Amino acid sequence: MNPTQDVAGKNAFSWRQRALAYIAELQSQLDGYNDGSAPARGAQRHLDAAREAAAAEPSLKGAWSGLAVDRTWANINKVEVALLKLIPDMELPWWGSDVLARALQHLGPQDPRRAKLEEHLGGQDGKLSPQDRTLAVITLQAANIAAQQEKVRLRSFRNTILISTAVMAVVALALSVVGALHPQAIKLCFNDPSTGPACPIGRLPSPWDVAIVELVGLSAASLVGAIGLRHIHGTSAPYTLPIVLALLKLPAGAVSAVIGLMLIQARFVPGLSELDTSAQILGWAALFGAAQQLITRLVDEQGQNVLRNVRDSSRGVDNP
């Protein structure tokens, strides 16, 4: 079975399918220009490497490092540049718009290569002349490097959020373990002189107090997070950042519920030093769990900014 057929099976991902389709298109173009020269042979090697990377077996290490994504698109970009060098002069004019669009997507308006290419194409009705081939090659290379850096920044941000989520989950787990082993260590019970003691579960401290508070906080966080999904847009990038951002809210809600009740216990909130029923305690746990949105909202906004800076042909050509 060839790699292309294998990747279409159970291990397929959408970015791999898009990459393989584009590789097939590039292969057909390269076949038409392959004259056996050294540049053509080099382009074929890059195309084979891109196909191999796109069809490789997915792994957790590869997903974390982005090795398959980087190798696939780096080699595809090399083939694009090689084709621009190989195509005959008579077909060159029609590449002007494509190269300029790539430059507008990924290079800033002050980039001298983009500005020079815009100037030259503007005076030639958008058609690329043989005299500007070298300029187009240099500009395309720069735009491709910028596009790769955009994906690297996206992956780095996603990995940072994953680490933060894991750390928060460990903290939540540690709190629940301590609460189970030493119910008196994390005091979530209150003692109203008129009604007597009140705990998250019943009237006496329980090994399950911290766990039930975290569960309520996590549930409230998931509800608020679901409501917030209306502001999150999908992405064609190979990293599922919106899902990762949503996962961060769950352990954050669990931890904030416990910390919030501890602050009430410590009389940091005037007028709420004594809660007299389990329902009130769990109600405040839900409120503090939902309140994590005040912090994670800032992370969501940063995530959307990172996603907006990852541009492709579907995102238009306005300035990054």
Side-chain angles (χ1 to χ4, degrees):
M1 180 180 296
N2 64 48
T4 303
Q5 291 173 328
D6 179 68
V7 80
K10 62 180 182 180
N11 295 322
F13 289 90
S14 61
W15 77 264
R16 294 177 183 271
Q17 297 299 327
R18 293 195 303 271
L20 287 169
Y22 189 39
I23 289 170
E25 178 184 347
L26 291 176
Q27 183 68 73
S28 65
Q29 295 182 36
L30 182 59
D31 289 343
Y33 304 134
N34 195 339
D35 55 3
S37 63
R41 293 195 302 272
Q44 186 61 60
R45 286 194 295 270
H46 282 298
L47 201 58
D48 292 340
R51 186 181 292 108
E52 179 184 355
E57 185 74 15
S59 65
L60 289 178
K61 181 179 179 181
W64 178 264
S65 65
L67 179 63
V69 175
D70 288 348
R71 186 184 177 203
T72 298
W73 290 104
N75 281 285
I76 285 176
N77 291 157
K78 291 291 186 180
V79 177
E80 291 173 333
V81 172
L83 283 172
L84 184 55
K85 295 177 180 179
L86 288 170
I87 59 175
D89 291 348
M90 66 180 64
E91 298 182 24
L92 190 61
W94 312 114
W95 279 66
S97 298
D98 288 339
V99 177
L100 180 59
R102 191 78 60 90
L104 293 176
Q105 287 165 359
H106 303 292
L107 300 179
Q110 303 304 318
D111 188 281
R113 293 157 298 195
R114 164 181 161 173
K116 195 70 173 178
L117 184 64
E118 282 188 280
E119 177 185 350
H120 284 212
L121 293 180
Q124 299 167 176
D125 196 25
K127 296 180 180 180
L128 189 63
S129 66
Q131 292 78 12
D132 293 330
R133 186 194 294 264
T134 301
L135 174 61
V137 167
I138 294 173
T139 304
L140 182 59
Q141 287 176 326
N144 287 340
I145 292 173
Q148 293 170 20
Q149 291 173 340
E150 292 168 6
K151 292 184 175 68
V152 169
R153 286 191 291 269
L154 173 60
R155 184 177 67 248
S156 176
F157 184 80
R158 183 212 59 178
N159 290 352
T160 300
I161 299 301
L162 283 175
I163 293 174
S164 301
T165 302
V167 170
M168 196 75 69
V170 170
V171 171
L173 180 61
L175 287 172
S176 65
V177 170
V178 171
L181 297 178
H182 305 284
Q184 298 291 344
I186 302 177
K187 296 182 179 180
L188 301 179
C189 296
F190 298 83
N191 187 15
D192 191 319
S194 60
T195 60
C199 297
I201 304 177
R203 292 290 180 178
L204 298 175
S206 165
W208 293 98
D209 282 346
V210 175
I212 193 67
V213 166
E214 288 188 341
L215 179 60
V216 171
L218 183 149
S219 300
S222 64
L223 179 61
V224 173
I227 296 174
L229 289 177
R230 70 186 189 278
H231 298 302
I232 295 180
H233 303 286
T235 174
S236 60
Y239 306 109
T240 54
L241 182 59
I243 295 177
V244 173
L245 290 171
L247 289 177
L248 175 63
K249 300 178 186 299
L250 303 182
V255 173
S256 63
V258 175
I259 299 300
L261 289 178
M262 292 175 64
L263 291 176
I264 294 179
Q265 180 72 253
R267 301 178 185 274
F268 274 85
V269 183
L272 291 175
S273 58
E274 301 299 343
L275 304 179
D276 52 16
T277 66
S278 298
Q280 285 187 353
I281 295 174
L282 295 181
W284 278 99
L287 180 62
F288 284 120
Q292 55 75 36
Q293 182 67 19
L294 298 176
I295 298 175
T296 57
R297 178 177 60 85
L298 302 177
V299 181
D300 292 340
E301 291 176 356
Q302 181 61 26
Q304 291 304 309
N305 289 335
V306 173
L307 280 175
R308 279 193 291 269
N309 287 329
V310 179
R311 311 190 63 80
D312 56 29
S313 58
S314 65
R315 295 291 307 278
V317 295
D318 52 303
N319 296 336

mmCIF file of all heavy atoms in Angstrom, residues 100 109 111-122 132 135 139:
data_model
loop_
_atom_site.group_PDB
_atom_site.id
_atom_site.type_symbol
_atom_site.label_atom_id
_atom_site.label_comp_id
_atom_site.label_asym_id
_atom_site.label_seq_id
_atom_site.Cartn_x
_atom_site.Cartn_y
_atom_site.Cartn_z
ATOM 1 N N LEU A 100 2.181 37.627 -5.734
ATOM 2 C CA LEU A 100 1.825 38.860 -5.045
ATOM 3 C C LEU A 100 0.818 38.587 -3.922
ATOM 4 O O LEU A 100 0.913 39.167 -2.832
ATOM 5 C CB LEU A 100 1.240 39.867 -6.044
ATOM 6 C CG LEU A 100 0.814 41.221 -5.446
ATOM 7 C CD1 LEU A 100 2.001 41.897 -4.777
ATOM 8 C CD2 LEU A 100 0.216 42.120 -6.522
ATOM 9 N N PRO A 109 3.503 45.531 4.914
ATOM 10 C CA PRO A 109 3.502 46.534 3.832
ATOM 11 C C PRO A 109 4.839 47.253 3.680
ATOM 12 O O PRO A 109 5.101 47.843 2.629
ATOM 13 C CB PRO A 109 2.387 47.499 4.251
ATOM 14 C CG PRO A 109 2.208 47.287 5.719
ATOM 15 C CD PRO A 109 2.529 45.854 5.972
ATOM 16 N N ASP A 111 7.753 45.722 3.819
ATOM 17 C CA ASP A 111 8.765 44.805 3.299
ATOM 18 C C ASP A 111 9.212 45.265 1.906
ATOM 19 O O ASP A 111 8.375 45.422 1.008
ATOM 20 C CB ASP A 111 8.197 43.387 3.225
ATOM 21 C CG ASP A 111 9.263 42.354 2.888
ATOM 22 O OD1 ASP A 111 9.616 42.254 1.691
ATOM 23 O OD2 ASP A 111 9.735 41.673 3.804
ATOM 24 N N PRO A 112 10.499 45.486 1.696
ATOM 25 C CA PRO A 112 10.958 46.026 0.406
ATOM 26 C C PRO A 112 10.712 45.078 -0.756
ATOM 27 O O PRO A 112 10.482 45.525 -1.893
ATOM 28 C CB PRO A 112 12.454 46.268 0.637
ATOM 29 C CG PRO A 112 12.822 45.371 1.775
ATOM 30 C CD PRO A 112 11.607 45.290 2.647
ATOM 31 N N ARG A 113 10.757 43.777 -0.531
ATOM 32 C CA ARG A 113 10.524 42.818 -1.614
ATOM 33 C C ARG A 113 9.070 42.880 -2.068
ATOM 34 O O ARG A 113 8.780 42.884 -3.269
ATOM 35 C CB ARG A 113 10.887 41.411 -1.143
ATOM 36 C CG ARG A 113 12.368 41.221 -0.880
ATOM 37 C CD ARG A 113 12.648 40.099 0.073
ATOM 38 N NE ARG A 113 12.069 40.331 1.393
ATOM 39 C CZ ARG A 113 12.397 39.655 2.499
ATOM 40 N NH1 ARG A 113 13.299 38.694 2.411
ATOM 41 N NH2 ARG A 113 11.830 39.930 3.659
ATOM 42 N N ARG A 114 8.158 42.906 -1.102
ATOM 43 C CA ARG A 114 6.745 43.024 -1.450
ATOM 44 C C ARG A 114 6.474 44.338 -2.168
ATOM 45 O O ARG A 114 5.775 44.368 -3.195
ATOM 46 C CB ARG A 114 5.911 42.932 -0.180
ATOM 47 C CG ARG A 114 4.484 43.409 -0.355
ATOM 48 C CD ARG A 114 3.681 43.337 0.922
ATOM 49 N NE ARG A 114 2.510 44.196 0.850
ATOM 50 C CZ ARG A 114 1.546 44.231 1.767
ATOM 51 N NH1 ARG A 114 1.620 43.446 2.825
ATOM 52 N NH2 ARG A 114 0.520 45.044 1.638
ATOM 53 N N ALA A 115 7.023 45.452 -1.637
ATOM 54 C CA ALA A 115 6.788 46.769 -2.242
ATOM 55 C C ALA A 115 7.327 46.818 -3.669
ATOM 56 O O ALA A 115 6.670 47.349 -4.582
ATOM 57 C CB ALA A 115 7.429 47.850 -1.382
ATOM 58 N N LYS A 116 8.522 46.245 -3.879
ATOM 59 C CA LYS A 116 9.123 46.278 -5.223
ATOM 60 C C LYS A 116 8.295 45.438 -6.188
ATOM 61 O O LYS A 116 8.058 45.843 -7.341
ATOM 62 C CB LYS A 116 10.545 45.724 -5.136
ATOM 63 C CG LYS A 116 11.399 46.027 -6.364
ATOM 64 C CD LYS A 116 11.738 47.507 -6.428
ATOM 65 C CE LYS A 116 12.727 47.794 -7.537
ATOM 66 N NZ LYS A 116 13.033 49.232 -7.655
ATOM 67 N N LEU A 117 7.833 44.265 -5.737
ATOM 68 C CA LEU A 117 7.031 43.415 -6.616
ATOM 69 C C LEU A 117 5.708 44.085 -6.951
ATOM 70 O O LEU A 117 5.242 44.025 -8.109
ATOM 71 C CB LEU A 117 6.792 42.062 -5.948
ATOM 72 C CG LEU A 117 6.055 41.024 -6.795
ATOM 73 C CD1 LEU A 117 6.877 40.650 -8.022
ATOM 74 C CD2 LEU A 117 5.742 39.763 -5.976
ATOM 75 N N GLU A 118 5.079 44.703 -5.961
ATOM 76 C CA GLU A 118 3.835 45.436 -6.226
ATOM 77 C C GLU A 118 4.053 46.525 -7.268
ATOM 78 O O GLU A 118 3.225 46.717 -8.174
ATOM 79 C CB GLU A 118 3.310 46.053 -4.928
ATOM 80 C CG GLU A 118 2.604 45.103 -4.001
ATOM 81 C CD GLU A 118 1.954 45.825 -2.839
ATOM 82 O OE1 GLU A 118 2.674 46.154 -1.877
ATOM 83 O OE2 GLU A 118 0.734 46.079 -2.890
ATOM 84 N N GLU A 119 5.154 47.237 -7.120
ATOM 85 C CA GLU A 119 5.455 48.323 -8.061
ATOM 86 C C GLU A 119 5.632 47.799 -9.479
ATOM 87 O O GLU A 119 5.068 48.353 -10.442
ATOM 88 C CB GLU A 119 6.713 49.053 -7.592
ATOM 89 C CG GLU A 119 7.159 50.170 -8.531
ATOM 90 C CD GLU A 119 8.479 50.789 -8.109
ATOM 91 O OE1 GLU A 119 8.955 50.485 -6.992
ATOM 92 O OE2 GLU A 119 9.050 51.553 -8.916
ATOM 93 N N HIS A 120 6.388 46.714 -9.619
ATOM 94 C CA HIS A 120 6.652 46.175 -10.951
ATOM 95 C C HIS A 120 5.375 45.593 -11.577
ATOM 96 O O HIS A 120 5.100 45.821 -12.759
ATOM 97 C CB HIS A 120 7.732 45.087 -10.869
ATOM 98 C CG HIS A 120 9.112 45.643 -10.695
ATOM 99 N ND1 HIS A 120 10.235 45.037 -11.198
ATOM 100 C CD2 HIS A 120 9.552 46.765 -10.077
ATOM 101 C CE1 HIS A 120 11.307 45.748 -10.897
ATOM 102 N NE2 HIS A 120 10.915 46.795 -10.200
ATOM 103 N N LEU A 121 4.621 44.834 -10.797
ATOM 104 C CA LEU A 121 3.403 44.238 -11.343
ATOM 105 C C LEU A 121 2.345 45.296 -11.633
ATOM 106 O O LEU A 121 1.550 45.126 -12.566
ATOM 107 C CB LEU A 121 2.850 43.195 -10.370
ATOM 108 C CG LEU A 121 3.706 41.942 -10.168
ATOM 109 C CD1 LEU A 121 3.034 40.991 -9.180
ATOM 110 C CD2 LEU A 121 3.954 41.226 -11.490
ATOM 111 N N GLY A 122 2.331 46.368 -10.846
ATOM 112 C CA GLY A 122 1.365 47.429 -11.089
ATOM 113 C C GLY A 122 1.563 48.097 -12.434
ATOM 114 O O GLY A 122 0.602 48.545 -13.065
ATOM 115 N N ASP A 132 11.621 40.003 -14.006
ATOM 116 C CA ASP A 132 11.267 40.050 -12.585
ATOM 117 C C ASP A 132 11.213 38.658 -11.948
ATOM 118 O O ASP A 132 10.752 38.517 -10.813
ATOM 119 C CB ASP A 132 9.899 40.729 -12.412
ATOM 120 C CG ASP A 132 9.938 42.196 -12.784
ATOM 121 O OD1 ASP A 132 10.996 42.819 -12.620
ATOM 122 O OD2 ASP A 132 8.891 42.718 -13.247
ATOM 123 N N LEU A 135 13.190 38.492 -8.670
ATOM 124 C CA LEU A 135 12.486 39.212 -7.613
ATOM 125 C C LEU A 135 11.307 38.395 -7.094
ATOM 126 O O LEU A 135 11.069 38.322 -5.877
ATOM 127 C CB LEU A 135 12.000 40.565 -8.136
ATOM 128 C CG LEU A 135 11.110 41.384 -7.189
ATOM 129 C CD1 LEU A 135 11.867 41.727 -5.909
ATOM 130 C CD2 LEU A 135 10.614 42.651 -7.890
ATOM 131 N N THR A 139 10.822 36.973 -3.298
ATOM 132 C CA THR A 139 9.624 37.364 -2.558
ATOM 133 C C THR A 139 8.832 36.144 -2.111
ATOM 134 O O THR A 139 8.336 36.082 -0.976
ATOM 135 C CB THR A 139 8.740 38.273 -3.425
ATOM 136 O OG1 THR A 139 9.496 39.408 -3.854
ATOM 137 C CG2 THR A 139 7.528 38.755 -2.633
#
